[in-house]
Amino acid sequence: MNRAAVLGTGQTEHRTRRTDVSMAGLCREAIDRALADAGTDWSDVDAVVLGKAPDLFEGVMMPELFLADALGATGRPLLRVHTAGSVGGSTAIVASQLVQAGVHRRVLAVAFEKQSESNAMWALSIQPPFTMPVGAGAGGYFAPHIRSYIRRSGAPPHVGAMVAVKDRRNGALNPYAHLRQPDITLESVNASPMLWDPIRYDETCPSSDGACAIVIGDEAAAEASDRQVAWIHATAMRTEPTYFAGKDHVNPRAGYEASRALWRAAGIIDPLEQIDAAEIYVPFSWFEPMWLENLGFAAPGEGWKLTEAGETGIDGALPVNPSGGVMCSNPIGASGLLRFAEAAMQVMGRAGEHQVEGARTALGHAYGGGSQFFAMWVVGTAPV
Amino acid sequence: MEIGFDYTRSLGPVLSRFMTALAERRILGCRGSDGRVHAPPLEYDPVTYAPLTELVEVGPAGTVVTWTWLDRPLDGQPLDRPFGWALIRLDGADTAMLHAVDAGTKDQMRTGMRVQVRWAPEPVGHIRDVACFEPIGGAAPASPRSGVDPVTMVTTPIHLRYRHTTSIEESRYLRGLAEGKLIGQRCPACGKVYVPPRGACPTCGVPTVDDVELPDRGTVTTFCVVNVPFPGQRIPPPYVVAYVLLDGADIPMQHLILGCRPDEVRMGMRVAAVWRPREQWGTTPQNIDHFQPSGEPDAPFDSYAQHL
Amino acid sequence: MIDVAVVGFAQSPCLPSAGTTSGVELLVPVFQEVLASTGLAKQDIDFWCSGSSDYLAGRAFSFVNAVDAIGAYPPVAESHVEMDAAWALYEAYVKLLTGEARTALVYGFGKSSAGQLRRVLALQLDPYLHAPLWPDSVSIAALQARAGLDAGRYTEREMAEVAARSRTAALGNPKAQVSGTDTADDLLAAPYVADPLRAHDCAPVGDGAAAVVLAAGDEARRLRARPAWITGFAHNVDSPALGVRDLTSVPSASAAATAAGLRGDEVDAVELHAPFSHQEILLATALGLGDAVRVNPSGGVLCGNPMFSAGLSRIGLAAEHVMSGRADRVAGHATSGPALQQNLVCVMEGA
C-alpha cells in the first residue's frame, strides 16, 4: 500500500445559518482554503470525493451532480459517500484509499451540510407508516443510552457538564467554531434547561451550516510540499446493525473493533500514551467518556475518570477535541471530516490558538446512525 | 404518504443578483472564463472552476435550441395544460436556459423558433417569476421595473408522495395487533425473539420465521424524559420515552410511559400495555396507546442488562 | 500490483413493484445466491459496499436498514455511496487494490415504484434555477434526444430499432421486466410520451437489487475457473449546466473509456446503461464501439432498470460473459444524473 498524507485542510466559518452563500459557495469557501493550505491548484487535483448526510436535509437528490463545477469535479472522477453521521470520516478514508491504492496522486475530499435549508428534526422523523411514532426527537434516541452509561459506570452527574465546559471553552480558541463560549461554567451548564433528561441544553451540539475540505497526496506530493504534512498512519471503518438482540449502545462492538484494528495498523500499543491529541465525534457531552472507553483510552466504566481529572483538557494527558468538536460546530455531513481535518491540523502544527503543544500523533474519529457506523484515522508528523 | 417541506435557500452573491433582476423583470447572465455569456448565470466556470462574477443583462427573447412536448403535465410544472420544455438561447447569451414554452399545440414547436419571456403577474425574485416563454408575435413582455429590494433567499416547496409496502413479517405483526396480539418471531439461526419480526435477523441475515406470541407487559430497560417541545409531538412535554423489553422478547421496543409522574419512572420498572378502545383498533402499532406501571416489583438489573 | 476480478454476480428479477424501501427482502435471496455461486460465506467477505438513494425510498438513512440483510454482527468493514452501486463497486475495487481486503461484496437496491420516479429525479437538477420548475427526467432526456435528431446523429427509426433489438434480446433474459418481438415499425406506431420519445424509448420503472463479488489475485483464481479480471475501471462527470453542455456528445463517457483502456474494436460484448434508446447510440459513439461488438445481449436497461442497482448489473452481466467462457474481453458501463451526466466504464478480460 502506498503512503498518503494530508497536504492541506480548509473549513468554513460554521454558523446556524450561512445565508450569505449558496451551497456551492459554502463548499468553495472550504475548498479554496484547503487548496491554498496545500499549496495546490486545480491542475493538480486528480479526483473529488464528496461526503454529505441525508439528501432530504437540503432537498437535493445527489447534490454532487449539480455541484460538479463548483467542486472542480467536472471532467474528473467524482464519488459521493454517505454513511450517516460518520460520512465525513468515510469521505476522508475513501479519498486516502484512492491515493494508497496508487490510482491517483492528489485527491480532494469535501463534506458539507446546509442544515438551515430545512429542519433536520423533520427530515429524520420521516418513517414508513408502520412504525410507532413515539415522539422522542433527536436527543430522545441517545438520551436513554446515556442513562445506561451513567448507571453502568457509576459516573457522577457533573461529568457531562464538565465536557460541555471544556469543549465550549476550546471552541472559543477556534475562529471557525459556531459556538464560542469562553465564559461558560459548570453552574451555567447545570442551570440550562433539561431537554431529554439526562441531557441538558448546554450538553447538546448545535445545528450548523458548514463545510470542510482536505487535499490528500501521495508520497511524492507530500515530499514536494514545503510545509509540514500529516502522514496517514492507518484508517479503519466498521459497521454493525442499528438495532439487534444484544446490541450494546454504550460500548458498541463496531467501534471497539474499528479502534483495535486502527491501533494495530498504526503500530500503537498504548493509545493513551501514544496519542497526543484526539478529535472524537461527541454530539452530546456524555459521549466523551463513553467513546474514551470504546476506543481503549480507558477501561470500561473508567472513561469518566479521565474527564473528571481534567486529562482531556487541552493541556491534559489526552487532549480531546481541542477544536471544540461537534459540541461547538455540527454541520452534520461535514462534522466527521472536521474531526479528521482537525487531527491533521494538530500534527501539521497549524491549529492556531487550539494547538496542542508538541502533537505528533493524532486521532480523528466519527460515528453515525444508531451508534453503528464508525470511521477513524491516525495521522502523524512523520511517516510510518 | 406525503413528504413535504418548504426549503429555504440562501443564494449567495451571483444568484442573488440574478433573482433580484428577475423581480425587476430583467434576465442576467454571466461571462464565463472563455468569454461566453451564460444565461442563467453559473456560479463557477465548468472548465476553469473559477468563480464567475461579471453579470451582464441578456434579452427577454431568444431561440429554441431543442424542445420536447408534454401532453400531460406533472404536479408543480409551470403550466397545467399541454406545453413544451425547451432549451432557449436568449439574445445576447451563448448558452441556453431551460424553461417551459406555452405554444398551445405541439405543431407550433420547432427547433429555431423565436420565443419571449412571459413574466409572472407579481415577480418576487424566484425562477418562477418567469411564468414561461411564449412564441413571439403577441404583446411584448411586461417592461422592467426598478426599486426592488435585494433578494437573498428563495423558498422552494418540495412535495413528493410515496407508497410504502409492508414486508411479510411486518404484515404478520400488524395483523396480530388488529386482534390485540403482539406477535414476535424467532430467528431460525440464533434463536432470538424479535418483535416486531424482521425480514432479516440483523445478526444472521435470514428472515425470522416461527411466531411467538408475547404478553403485553415487560420491563423498562432505559428511558429519557422528553422536556423539549418540537413539531409533531402527540402530547405536551414532559413525558417519558422508554425502551420496554416485553417478557420473552430479546429486543426492547420504544414506547411512551404514562400513568405516573415522569420522575417516578426508573430502569427496571415493570410496565403493562394500555390498549386503545377495541373499536379504534386497526393494523397499526398505535393500537397500544402507551405503557403504564403494572405495580409488580422492579426487575433486577441483571435480568435486562444485556438488553440495554 | 494487485489484480482484481469479478467472481460472482446475482440479481433479483426486475419487477414493476417488489419488496419494501428497505431493500432487505430483495437482498436476502440475492446475497444467498451470489455467495453460493462463489462458495463463500458472509464471514469470508472482507469488505461490503453498497449504493442506494434516500430520495428513491422517500426517507433519510434508507440504506441503514439494508445492513440487516448482511447479518452484520460481528461487525463488518462496510461503506455506502449515494450513487448507483457501480460506483460502490469502484470503491470496493480501490479497497482491494490497497491490499486491505481480498474479497468484497457490493450491492445495490432501489424501489423506484415507491414514488413518482420522473418527479423524484427532477431533484437532481440545480435547486435554484431548474428543480423549482419540476422538469421531469423523461422530458430532460427528450431534450437530449431531439438535439441528437436535429444534429443528424440518428433517426427516430434507429431509436426504435435499438428498442426492438433490446426487447428481442430480453426474451432470453428471465430477469427482464419487458421483452417482445415487436418490430421497429410496430414501435413507431405508438404515441409519444415526450416527443420524440415513445414509451419503448424509455426504460420501464421497476424495483430490484443486485450483488457482485470481487476477489483479488489467488483468491479469485481459487474461487472461479475463469474470473473476469478487471483491466481498467474509471469514471468521470460532465458539467451540470444543461444549456452549456453539448447534449449530443458524452465527454465523460469518452474520458472514462479512455482512462479504463477500452478499445471499442477489441471487445466482444458491452453492457451499456442507457435508460433511453437514443442514449445507447450516443454512448456507442462516445465509447468508440466497433460494429462487431455485441451491445446489450441482456436486453439492456430498456428492458429493466432498477435504479441504483442497474449500473452494477451491467458490470455483473458483462462479467458473466467472461466467467462462462462466452467472451474474452467485455465492458460494463453505468450512468447517473440527468442526460448522461456521469459515466463509468469497467473493462474485464478472461485471461
Side-chain angles (χ1 to χ4, degrees):
Chain A
M1 196 159 71
N2 299 322
R3 282 177 175 163
V6 178
L7 307 180
T9 69
Q11 60 185 291
T12 56
E13 272 84 16
H14 314 297
R15 298 288 179 266
T16 307
R17 291 182 189 81
R18 282 296 307 269
T19 52
D20 57 321
V21 288
S22 62
M23 285 179 249
L26 187 74
C27 290
R28 276 299 281 270
E29 188 174 310
I31 292 170
D32 291 345
R33 286 172 180 170
L35 293 176
D37 190 49
T40 303
D41 66 26
W42 284 117
S43 63
D44 288 332
V45 174
D46 299 323
V48 181
V49 184
L50 180 83
K52 215 199 69 61
D55 288 355
L56 272 75
F57 283 0
E58 286 84 6
V60 186
M61 182 177 188
M62 303 155 77
E64 66 280 5
L65 292 170
F66 98 88
L67 289 170
D69 293 341
L71 299 172
T74 297
R76 299 197 166 115
L78 169 65
L79 282 169
R80 158 70 191 287
V81 179
H82 178 14
T83 59
S86 67
V87 64
S90 310
T91 303
I93 292 175
V94 171
S96 58
Q97 300 223 302
L98 285 165
V99 173
Q100 290 168 332
V103 176
H104 296 304
R105 291 200 54 198
R106 284 188 193 79
V107 177
L108 173 68
V110 189
F112 84 98
E113 204 73 67
K114 202 152 181 310
Q115 288 208 59
S116 67
E117 305 266 316
S118 75
N119 178 313
M121 287 268 265
W122 163 79
L124 296 177
S125 69
I126 300 165
Q127 287 294 326
F130 324 116
T131 49
M132 180 67 199
V134 289
Y141 183 84
F142 293 105
H145 306 312
I146 288 169
R147 183 180 301 278
S148 301
Y149 172 72
I150 295 169
R151 168 77 184 252
R152 267 163 58 168
S153 67
H158 62 264
V159 168
M162 288 186 71
V163 175
V165 170
K166 171 191 62 99
D167 284 356
R168 293 281 163 75
R169 289 185 177 180
N170 284 351
L173 304 174
N174 176 357
Y176 300 107
H178 174 181
L179 297 181
R180 309 177 70 208
Q181 301 174 341
D183 302 323
I184 194 169
T185 62
L186 270 185
E187 295 68 37
S188 68
V189 174
N190 284 327
S192 70
M194 187 65 91
L195 301 185
W196 291 277
D197 192 337
I199 304 178
R200 291 183 188 279
Y201 177 75
D202 279 350
E203 296 171 333
T204 65
C205 57
S207 158
S208 316
D209 287 351
C212 180
I214 61 174
V215 180
I216 295 175
D218 66 3
E219 189 162 5
E223 282 170 356
S225 174
D226 52 11
R227 303 183 76 188
Q228 176 68 49
V229 302
W231 293 95
I232 298 165
H233 290 186
T235 68
M237 287 170 71
R238 289 293 185 278
T239 298
E240 67 184 42
T242 314
Y243 201 34
F244 57 94
K247 165 118 181 174
D248 188 340
H249 288 273
V250 170
N251 193 3
R253 187 164 161 188
Y256 174 91
E257 292 190 359
S259 63
R260 296 325 186 265
L262 182 76
W263 303 140
R264 201 162 47 244
I268 286 174
I269 297 151
D270 179 352
L272 186 59
E273 176 63 32
Q274 292 171 265
I275 295 291
D276 302 320
E279 284 281 341
I280 302 176
Y281 202 105
V282 174
F284 300 98
S285 59
W286 277 100
F287 274 83
E288 176 176 301
M290 284 166 64
W291 291 152
L292 288 173
E293 297 170 22
N294 191 240
L295 289 164
F297 289 112
E302 306 281 316
W304 61 269
K305 294 177 183 170
L306 280 176
T307 299
E308 194 184 40
E311 298 294 1
T312 58
I314 205 159
D315 48 7
L318 177 72
V320 174
N321 293 326
S323 69
V326 182
M327 286 290 292
C328 293
S329 310
N330 186 32
I332 299 177
S335 291
L337 189 56
L338 284 166
R339 305 282 70 68
F340 279 52
E342 288 282 355
M345 287 160 62
Q346 288 292 343
V347 300
M348 295 157 103
R350 300 214 277 274
E353 280 193 69
H354 63 280
Q355 177 69 46
V356 172
E357 198 74 34
R360 294 186 54 82
T361 309
L363 166 74
H365 163 276
Y367 86 100
S371 298
Q372 63 181 132
F373 299 105
F374 292 84
M376 39 195 92
W377 77 5
V378 170
V379 286
T381 304
V384 276
Chain B
M1 63 188 283
E2 182 169 309
I3 309 298
F5 197 89
D6 292 347
Y7 286 84
T8 50
R9 307 209 182 284
S10 55
L11 294 168
V14 171
L15 294 173
S16 177
R17 286 169 65 194
F18 173 74
M19 295 297 180
T20 305
L22 289 182
E24 296 171 345
R25 300 196 194 103
R26 296 186 299 124
I27 300 176
L28 297 183
C30 71
R31 195 173 299 282
S33 300
D34 54 4
R36 288 189 298 171
V37 172
H38 305 293
L42 307 176
E43 292 183 81
Y44 296 92
D45 190 83
V47 178
T48 64
Y49 320 129
L52 301 180
T53 53
E54 183 190 346
L55 296 186
V56 290
E57 184 163 354
V58 298
T63 304
V64 168
V65 174
T66 182
W67 60 276
T68 181
W69 187 260
L70 270 192
D71 280 321
R72 287 199 294 275
L74 305 177
D75 287 352
Q77 294 181 337
L79 294 158
D80 57 8
R81 54 185 175 274
F83 74 95
W85 285 110
L87 286 172
I88 300 155
R89 187 163 51 236
L90 293 172
D91 299 341
D94 296 296
T95 59
M97 171 171 185
L98 174 67
H99 219 298
V101 178
D102 189 10
T105 56
K106 188 176 82 173
D107 55 16
Q108 301 299 309
M109 293 292 298
R110 59 183 172 77
T111 301
M113 75 188 285
R114 295 284 296 164
V115 293
Q116 66 183 26
V117 65
R118 181 192 297 160
W119 293 105
E122 293 294 332
V124 294
H126 193 280
I127 190 63
R128 298 195 71 138
D129 289 350
V130 176
C132 61
F133 283 78
E134 60 192 7
I136 282 183
S143 307
R145 54 181 192 159
S146 55
V148 170
D149 290 334
V151 176
T152 60
M153 304 281 294
V154 293
T155 301
T156 301
I158 296 177
H159 294 262
L160 294 167
R161 277 184 295 278
Y162 291 88
R163 197 176 62 247
H164 283 283
T165 41
T166 55
S167 66
I168 292 168
E169 294 78 14
E170 276 171 328
S171 301
R172 183 86 193 87
Y173 175 66
L174 296 171
R175 279 199 291 270
L177 281 166
E179 298 166 15
K181 293 180 190 168
L182 283 160
I183 308 284
Q185 282 183 343
R186 193 179 296 280
C187 170
C190 66
K192 301 286 189 192
V193 173
Y194 277 85
V195 59
R198 300 287 194 101
C201 166
T203 63
C204 306
V206 297
T208 56
V209 279
D210 298 328
D211 284 358
V212 180
E213 189 173 340
L214 296 163
D216 61 355
R217 59 180 55 215
T219 301
V220 170
T221 61
T222 186
F223 66 96
C224 75
V225 186
V226 178
N227 289 312
V228 57
F230 53 85
Q233 273 174 323
R234 277 176 59 200
I235 51 174
Y239 55 88
V240 172
V241 172
Y243 286 95
V244 176
L245 182 67
L246 296 177
D247 297 343
D250 286 297
I251 189 159
M253 61 197 324
Q254 235 189 356
H255 225 298
L256 294 171
I257 308 293
L258 303 176
C260 65
R261 291 203 319 271
D263 62 6
E264 291 173 338
V265 177
R266 54 203 179 267
M267 293 171 73
M269 179 186 245
R270 295 283 299 163
V271 291
V274 176
W275 294 75
R276 291 192 173 174
R278 180 179 282 271
E279 58 273 18
Q280 294 176 19
W281 287 359
T283 49
T284 162
Q286 297 179 50
N287 292 355
I288 295 179
D289 188 75
H290 61 271
F291 280 77
Q292 67 179 19
S294 69
E296 299 161 87
D298 284 4
F301 185 60
D302 289 346
S303 70
Y304 60 88
Q306 298 308 310
H307 300 285
L308 287 172
Chain C
M1 184 63 190
I2 295 171
D3 294 318
V4 178
V6 173
V7 296
F9 169 61
Q11 63 172 328
S12 70
C14 306
L15 296 169
S17 178
T20 70
T21 55
S22 79
V24 166
E25 299 74 21
L26 296 179
L27 286 170
V28 166
V30 166
F31 286 173
Q32 287 170 349
E33 183 185 337
V34 79
L35 289 172
S37 77
T38 53
L40 293 168
K42 74 172 187 184
Q43 305 86 277
D44 301 324
I45 301 296
D46 295 338
F47 183 62
W48 301 74
C49 199
S50 62
S52 69
S53 162
D54 279 351
Y55 259 109
L56 211 65
R59 63 186 163 121
F61 297 136
S62 59
F63 62 94
V64 169
N65 299 82
V67 171
D68 285 2
I70 298 176
Y73 199 78
V76 296
E78 187 264 356
S79 188
H80 173 262
V81 296
E82 191 83 355
M83 310 174 82
D84 186 286
W87 279 266
L89 187 76
Y90 182 81
E91 183 181 333
Y93 164 75
V94 171
K95 184 82 171 178
L96 266 58
L97 288 184
T98 67
E100 281 194 349
R102 295 186 53 76
T103 55
L105 192 155
V106 177
Y107 61 97
F109 62 96
K111 188 170 175 61
S112 308
S113 69
Q116 191 178 4
L117 186 63
R118 287 174 71 171
R119 288 189 77 235
V120 170
L121 290 175
L123 296 180
Q124 288 184 333
L125 297 163
D126 179 294
Y128 312 94
L129 303 171
H130 293 149
L133 306 174
W134 293 94
D136 58 284
S137 54
V138 176
S139 294
I140 296 292
L143 292 174
Q144 181 184 39
R146 178 167 316 281
L149 286 171
D150 286 345
R153 300 296 163 90
Y154 43 78
T155 62
E156 286 187 44
R157 170 164 296 276
E158 285 168 327
M159 289 163 58
E161 282 166 356
V162 168
R165 194 201 71 235
S166 299
R167 288 160 172 250
T168 306
L171 291 169
N173 176 0
K175 302 291 170 72
Q177 183 174 334
V178 171
S179 61
T181 54
D182 311 78
T183 64
D185 283 328
D186 299 336
L187 296 175
L188 284 169
Y192 291 114
V193 176
D195 191 334
L197 297 178
R198 298 174 171 86
H200 64 254
D201 291 309
C202 311
V205 175
D207 304 344
V212 166
V213 175
L214 292 178
D218 290 341
E219 185 71 9
R221 290 180 195 95
R222 190 178 70 76
L223 294 170
R224 277 277 173 190
R226 207 175 134 84
W229 295 103
I230 296 175
T231 59
F233 201 165
H235 58 98
N236 205 291
V237 67
D238 290 317
S239 171
L242 280 173
V244 178
R245 286 171 60 190
D246 170 5
L247 294 177
T248 65
S249 68
V250 198
S252 61
S254 302
T258 302
L262 174 67
R263 286 187 295 278
D265 49 356
E266 291 181 13
V267 282
D268 303 318
V270 173
E271 287 283 348
L272 297 178
H273 189 186
F276 298 92
S277 60
H278 70 279
Q279 293 180 340
E280 183 187 300
I281 301 168
L282 294 179
L283 285 166
T285 304
L287 270 48
L289 298 183
D291 293 338
V293 178
R294 279 184 294 150
V295 175
N296 291 344
S298 69
V301 295
L302 286 178
C303 299
N305 186 34
M307 296 291 291
F308 294 86
S309 66
L312 178 68
S313 284
R314 294 317 98 198
I315 298 167
L317 286 162
E320 277 189 333
H321 289 294
V322 171
M323 292 190 288
S324 66
R326 290 194 301 273
D328 290 326
R329 189 172 164 89
V330 298
H333 158 267
T335 194
S336 173
L340 299 175
Q341 189 191 346
Q342 191 171 23
N343 292 279
L344 169 149
V345 172
C346 180
V347 182
M348 293 162 282
E349 285 181 16

